[in-house]
mmCIF file of all heavy atoms in Angstrom:
data_model
loop_
_atom_site.group_PDB
_atom_site.id
_atom_site.type_symbol
_atom_site.label_atom_id
_atom_site.label_comp_id
_atom_site.label_asym_id
_atom_site.label_seq_id
_atom_site.Cartn_x
_atom_site.Cartn_y
_atom_site.Cartn_z
ATOM 1 N N LEU A 132 55.989 16.297 52.999
ATOM 2 C CA LEU A 132 54.997 16.069 54.076
ATOM 3 C C LEU A 132 55.509 16.502 55.385
ATOM 4 O O LEU A 132 54.848 17.102 56.219
ATOM 5 C CB LEU A 132 54.531 14.610 54.160
ATOM 6 C CG LEU A 132 53.284 14.208 53.347
ATOM 7 C CD1 LEU A 132 53.016 12.728 53.521
ATOM 8 C CD2 LEU A 132 52.087 15.062 53.725
ATOM 9 N N GLY A 133 56.828 16.142 55.600
ATOM 10 C CA GLY A 133 57.423 16.510 56.825
ATOM 11 C C GLY A 133 57.509 17.939 57.067
ATOM 12 O O GLY A 133 57.506 18.464 58.150
ATOM 13 N N HIS A 134 57.563 18.740 55.945
ATOM 14 C CA HIS A 134 57.687 20.151 56.067
ATOM 15 C C HIS A 134 56.315 20.832 56.135
ATOM 16 O O HIS A 134 56.235 22.104 56.385
ATOM 17 C CB HIS A 134 58.448 20.748 54.855
ATOM 18 C CG HIS A 134 59.956 20.559 55.012
ATOM 19 N ND1 HIS A 134 60.655 19.704 54.250
ATOM 20 C CD2 HIS A 134 60.830 21.112 55.880
ATOM 21 C CE1 HIS A 134 61.914 19.716 54.542
ATOM 22 N NE2 HIS A 134 62.046 20.564 55.572
ATOM 23 N N LEU A 135 55.242 20.160 55.935
ATOM 24 C CA LEU A 135 53.922 20.763 56.002
ATOM 25 C C LEU A 135 53.605 21.137 57.446
ATOM 26 O O LEU A 135 53.997 20.441 58.336
ATOM 27 C CB LEU A 135 52.826 19.795 55.569
ATOM 28 C CG LEU A 135 52.534 19.611 54.078
ATOM 29 C CD1 LEU A 135 51.290 18.732 53.921
ATOM 30 C CD2 LEU A 135 52.292 20.922 53.403
ATOM 31 N N PRO A 136 52.875 22.262 57.632
ATOM 32 C CA PRO A 136 52.396 22.592 58.978
ATOM 33 C C PRO A 136 51.599 21.401 59.518
ATOM 34 O O PRO A 136 50.830 20.727 58.735
ATOM 35 C CB PRO A 136 51.487 23.787 58.815
ATOM 36 C CG PRO A 136 51.868 24.385 57.483
ATOM 37 C CD PRO A 136 52.446 23.247 56.650
ATOM 38 N N GLN A 137 51.713 21.072 60.838
ATOM 39 C CA GLN A 137 51.054 19.852 61.294
ATOM 40 C C GLN A 137 49.616 19.816 61.140
ATOM 41 O O GLN A 137 49.082 18.726 60.840
ATOM 42 C CB GLN A 137 51.425 19.759 62.810
ATOM 43 C CG GLN A 137 51.323 18.304 63.266
ATOM 44 C CD GLN A 137 51.380 18.140 64.789
ATOM 45 O OE1 GLN A 137 50.919 19.012 65.535
ATOM 46 N NE2 GLN A 137 51.840 17.047 65.222
ATOM 47 N N GLU A 138 48.891 21.013 61.246
ATOM 48 C CA GLU A 138 47.467 20.951 61.062
ATOM 49 C C GLU A 138 47.050 20.592 59.679
ATOM 50 O O GLU A 138 46.066 19.822 59.465
ATOM 51 C CB GLU A 138 46.740 22.289 61.357
ATOM 52 C CG GLU A 138 47.331 23.097 62.480
ATOM 53 C CD GLU A 138 48.469 23.966 61.987
ATOM 54 O OE1 GLU A 138 48.285 24.775 60.960
ATOM 55 O OE2 GLU A 138 49.580 23.794 62.503
ATOM 56 N N GLN A 139 47.849 20.984 58.663
ATOM 57 C CA GLN A 139 47.548 20.596 57.266
ATOM 58 C C GLN A 139 47.755 19.091 57.110
ATOM 59 O O GLN A 139 46.919 18.380 56.511
ATOM 60 C CB GLN A 139 48.407 21.377 56.297
ATOM 61 C CG GLN A 139 47.987 22.771 56.126
ATOM 62 C CD GLN A 139 48.932 23.535 55.191
ATOM 63 O OE1 GLN A 139 49.678 22.951 54.449
ATOM 64 N NE2 GLN A 139 48.835 24.845 55.177
ATOM 65 N N ARG A 140 48.833 18.644 57.662
ATOM 66 C CA ARG A 140 49.174 17.205 57.493
ATOM 67 C C ARG A 140 48.067 16.370 58.134
ATOM 68 O O ARG A 140 47.646 15.399 57.575
ATOM 69 C CB ARG A 140 50.541 16.911 58.132
ATOM 70 C CG ARG A 140 51.098 15.610 57.703
ATOM 71 C CD ARG A 140 52.586 15.424 58.031
ATOM 72 N NE ARG A 140 52.811 15.532 59.472
ATOM 73 C CZ ARG A 140 53.612 16.495 60.041
ATOM 74 N NH1 ARG A 140 54.236 17.403 59.272
ATOM 75 N NH2 ARG A 140 53.822 16.437 61.317
ATOM 76 N N LYS A 141 47.715 16.760 59.337
ATOM 77 C CA LYS A 141 46.652 15.996 60.094
ATOM 78 C C LYS A 141 45.339 15.919 59.282
ATOM 79 O O LYS A 141 44.717 14.918 59.190
ATOM 80 C CB LYS A 141 46.386 16.627 61.492
ATOM 81 C CG LYS A 141 47.363 16.198 62.495
ATOM 82 C CD LYS A 141 46.818 15.236 63.538
ATOM 83 C CE LYS A 141 46.605 13.904 62.903
ATOM 84 N NZ LYS A 141 46.113 12.847 63.799
ATOM 85 N N CYS A 142 44.919 17.076 58.725
ATOM 86 C CA CYS A 142 43.697 17.156 57.956
ATOM 87 C C CYS A 142 43.739 16.195 56.800
ATOM 88 O O CYS A 142 42.813 15.475 56.475
ATOM 89 C CB CYS A 142 43.352 18.570 57.510
ATOM 90 S SG CYS A 142 42.676 19.600 58.809
ATOM 91 N N LEU A 143 44.866 16.314 56.051
ATOM 92 C CA LEU A 143 45.025 15.417 54.883
ATOM 93 C C LEU A 143 44.975 13.940 55.284
ATOM 94 O O LEU A 143 44.359 13.108 54.616
ATOM 95 C CB LEU A 143 46.394 15.721 54.190
ATOM 96 C CG LEU A 143 46.471 17.041 53.416
ATOM 97 C CD1 LEU A 143 47.889 17.234 52.891
ATOM 98 C CD2 LEU A 143 45.546 17.009 52.222
ATOM 99 N N GLU A 144 45.692 13.629 56.328
ATOM 100 C CA GLU A 144 45.694 12.255 56.885
ATOM 101 C C GLU A 144 44.325 11.816 57.204
ATOM 102 O O GLU A 144 43.859 10.685 56.822
ATOM 103 C CB GLU A 144 46.641 12.255 58.071
ATOM 104 C CG GLU A 144 46.349 11.199 59.120
ATOM 105 C CD GLU A 144 46.957 9.874 58.771
ATOM 106 O OE1 GLU A 144 47.872 9.853 57.947
ATOM 107 O OE2 GLU A 144 46.477 8.847 59.294
ATOM 108 N N MET A 145 43.545 12.638 57.923
ATOM 109 C CA MET A 145 42.211 12.179 58.359
ATOM 110 C C MET A 145 41.291 12.029 57.129
ATOM 111 O O MET A 145 40.471 11.066 57.064
ATOM 112 C CB MET A 145 41.607 13.227 59.317
ATOM 113 C CG MET A 145 42.218 13.093 60.688
ATOM 114 S SD MET A 145 41.284 14.050 61.925
ATOM 115 C CE MET A 145 42.069 15.621 61.735
ATOM 116 N N ALA A 146 41.384 12.911 56.178
ATOM 117 C CA ALA A 146 40.475 12.875 55.028
ATOM 118 C C ALA A 146 40.966 11.692 54.135
ATOM 119 O O ALA A 146 40.049 10.853 53.699
ATOM 120 C CB ALA A 146 40.608 14.127 54.237
ATOM 121 N N PHE A 147 42.166 11.610 53.827
ATOM 122 C CA PHE A 147 42.549 10.685 52.757
ATOM 123 C C PHE A 147 42.772 9.271 53.305
ATOM 124 O O PHE A 147 42.292 8.298 52.640
ATOM 125 C CB PHE A 147 43.891 11.254 52.100
ATOM 126 C CG PHE A 147 44.250 10.520 50.850
ATOM 127 C CD1 PHE A 147 43.513 10.824 49.701
ATOM 128 C CD2 PHE A 147 45.236 9.590 50.783
ATOM 129 C CE1 PHE A 147 43.797 10.194 48.480
ATOM 130 C CE2 PHE A 147 45.556 8.933 49.568
ATOM 131 C CZ PHE A 147 44.843 9.245 48.432
ATOM 132 N N PHE A 148 43.474 9.074 54.395
ATOM 133 C CA PHE A 148 43.740 7.751 54.840
ATOM 134 C C PHE A 148 42.733 7.211 55.825
ATOM 135 O O PHE A 148 42.595 5.971 55.943
ATOM 136 C CB PHE A 148 45.202 7.694 55.512
ATOM 137 C CG PHE A 148 46.271 7.911 54.498
ATOM 138 C CD1 PHE A 148 47.101 8.962 54.549
ATOM 139 C CD2 PHE A 148 46.469 6.931 53.525
ATOM 140 C CE1 PHE A 148 48.124 9.094 53.586
ATOM 141 C CE2 PHE A 148 47.499 7.038 52.556
ATOM 142 C CZ PHE A 148 48.307 8.177 52.590
ATOM 143 N N GLN A 149 41.951 8.102 56.422
ATOM 144 C CA GLN A 149 40.921 7.581 57.311
ATOM 145 C C GLN A 149 39.530 7.744 56.764
ATOM 146 O O GLN A 149 38.573 7.295 57.334
ATOM 147 C CB GLN A 149 40.987 8.295 58.681
ATOM 148 C CG GLN A 149 42.339 7.946 59.413
ATOM 149 C CD GLN A 149 42.437 8.707 60.704
ATOM 150 O OE1 GLN A 149 41.469 8.962 61.382
ATOM 151 N NE2 GLN A 149 43.609 9.076 61.071
ATOM 152 N N GLY A 150 39.403 8.391 55.586
ATOM 153 C CA GLY A 150 38.102 8.467 54.942
ATOM 154 C C GLY A 150 37.122 9.374 55.627
ATOM 155 O O GLY A 150 35.967 9.216 55.503
ATOM 156 N N MET A 151 37.605 10.321 56.418
ATOM 157 C CA MET A 151 36.676 11.182 57.112
ATOM 158 C C MET A 151 36.227 12.302 56.166
ATOM 159 O O MET A 151 36.937 12.815 55.375
ATOM 160 C CB MET A 151 37.356 11.797 58.347
ATOM 161 C CG MET A 151 37.658 10.712 59.438
ATOM 162 S SD MET A 151 38.658 11.366 60.773
ATOM 163 C CE MET A 151 37.529 12.432 61.643
ATOM 164 N N THR A 152 34.936 12.701 56.313
ATOM 165 C CA THR A 152 34.419 13.884 55.563
ATOM 166 C C THR A 152 34.946 15.163 56.277
ATOM 167 O O THR A 152 35.313 15.119 57.489
ATOM 168 C CB THR A 152 32.956 13.896 55.437
ATOM 169 O OG1 THR A 152 32.422 14.022 56.737
ATOM 170 C CG2 THR A 152 32.441 12.626 54.840
ATOM 171 N N HIS A 153 34.865 16.273 55.615
ATOM 172 C CA HIS A 153 35.273 17.507 56.239
ATOM 173 C C HIS A 153 34.387 17.833 57.417
ATOM 174 O O HIS A 153 34.896 18.453 58.457
ATOM 175 C CB HIS A 153 35.375 18.689 55.240
ATOM 176 C CG HIS A 153 34.040 19.065 54.561
ATOM 177 N ND1 HIS A 153 33.687 20.331 54.318
ATOM 178 C CD2 HIS A 153 33.027 18.286 54.108
ATOM 179 C CE1 HIS A 153 32.474 20.379 53.695
ATOM 180 N NE2 HIS A 153 32.111 19.162 53.573
ATOM 181 N N THR A 154 33.120 17.495 57.389
ATOM 182 C CA THR A 154 32.220 17.612 58.513
ATOM 183 C C THR A 154 32.722 16.871 59.697
ATOM 184 O O THR A 154 32.748 17.375 60.858
ATOM 185 C CB THR A 154 30.827 17.177 58.198
ATOM 186 O OG1 THR A 154 30.618 17.427 56.828
ATOM 187 C CG2 THR A 154 29.805 17.880 59.008
ATOM 188 N N GLU A 155 33.155 15.620 59.446
ATOM 189 C CA GLU A 155 33.584 14.808 60.562
ATOM 190 C C GLU A 155 34.911 15.308 61.116
ATOM 191 O O GLU A 155 35.127 15.297 62.349
ATOM 192 C CB GLU A 155 33.779 13.328 60.049
ATOM 193 C CG GLU A 155 32.492 12.563 59.742
ATOM 194 C CD GLU A 155 32.660 11.300 58.970
ATOM 195 O OE1 GLU A 155 33.759 11.124 58.372
ATOM 196 O OE2 GLU A 155 31.709 10.482 58.876
ATOM 197 N N ILE A 156 35.834 15.783 60.277
ATOM 198 C CA ILE A 156 37.052 16.293 60.706
ATOM 199 C C ILE A 156 36.780 17.533 61.547
ATOM 200 O O ILE A 156 37.462 17.772 62.595
ATOM 201 C CB ILE A 156 37.989 16.680 59.506
ATOM 202 C CG1 ILE A 156 38.352 15.423 58.708
ATOM 203 C CG2 ILE A 156 39.320 17.328 59.986
ATOM 204 C CD1 ILE A 156 39.061 15.663 57.458
ATOM 205 N N ALA A 157 35.909 18.424 61.086
ATOM 206 C CA ALA A 157 35.577 19.630 61.838
ATOM 207 C C ALA A 157 35.062 19.251 63.192
ATOM 208 O O ALA A 157 35.475 19.839 64.250
ATOM 209 C CB ALA A 157 34.544 20.462 61.073
ATOM 210 N N ALA A 158 34.185 18.299 63.288
ATOM 211 C CA ALA A 158 33.616 17.813 64.588
ATOM 212 C C ALA A 158 34.704 17.293 65.490
ATOM 213 O O ALA A 158 34.735 17.605 66.667
ATOM 214 C CB ALA A 158 32.505 16.776 64.345
ATOM 215 N N LYS A 159 35.634 16.519 64.884
ATOM 216 C CA LYS A 159 36.639 15.878 65.752
ATOM 217 C C LYS A 159 37.699 16.913 66.250
ATOM 218 O O LYS A 159 38.123 16.836 67.340
ATOM 219 C CB LYS A 159 37.416 14.837 64.879
ATOM 220 C CG LYS A 159 38.417 14.089 65.646
ATOM 221 C CD LYS A 159 38.528 12.583 65.283
ATOM 222 C CE LYS A 159 39.497 11.890 66.131
ATOM 223 N NZ LYS A 159 40.077 10.733 65.549
ATOM 224 N N THR A 160 38.064 17.891 65.401
ATOM 225 C CA THR A 160 39.151 18.810 65.741
ATOM 226 C C THR A 160 38.536 20.096 66.454
ATOM 227 O O THR A 160 39.242 20.866 67.075
ATOM 228 C CB THR A 160 39.903 19.302 64.573
ATOM 229 O OG1 THR A 160 38.980 19.862 63.602
ATOM 230 C CG2 THR A 160 40.629 18.127 63.866
ATOM 231 N N GLY A 161 37.219 20.234 66.266
ATOM 232 C CA GLY A 161 36.675 21.480 66.828
ATOM 233 C C GLY A 161 36.912 22.726 66.029
ATOM 234 O O GLY A 161 36.595 23.840 66.402
#
Side-chain angles (χ1 to χ4, degrees):
Chain A
L132 266 179
H134 282 111
L135 277 189
Q137 201 191 31
E138 324 84 59
Q139 284 178 14
R140 194 167 62 240
K141 277 255 70 177
C142 279
L143 286 174
E144 152 83 19
M145 283 191 275
F147 194 74
F148 290 114
Q149 295 176 34
M151 292 170 72
T152 65
H153 61 141
T154 327
E155 288 166 347
I156 298 172
K159 182 145 185 206
T160 59

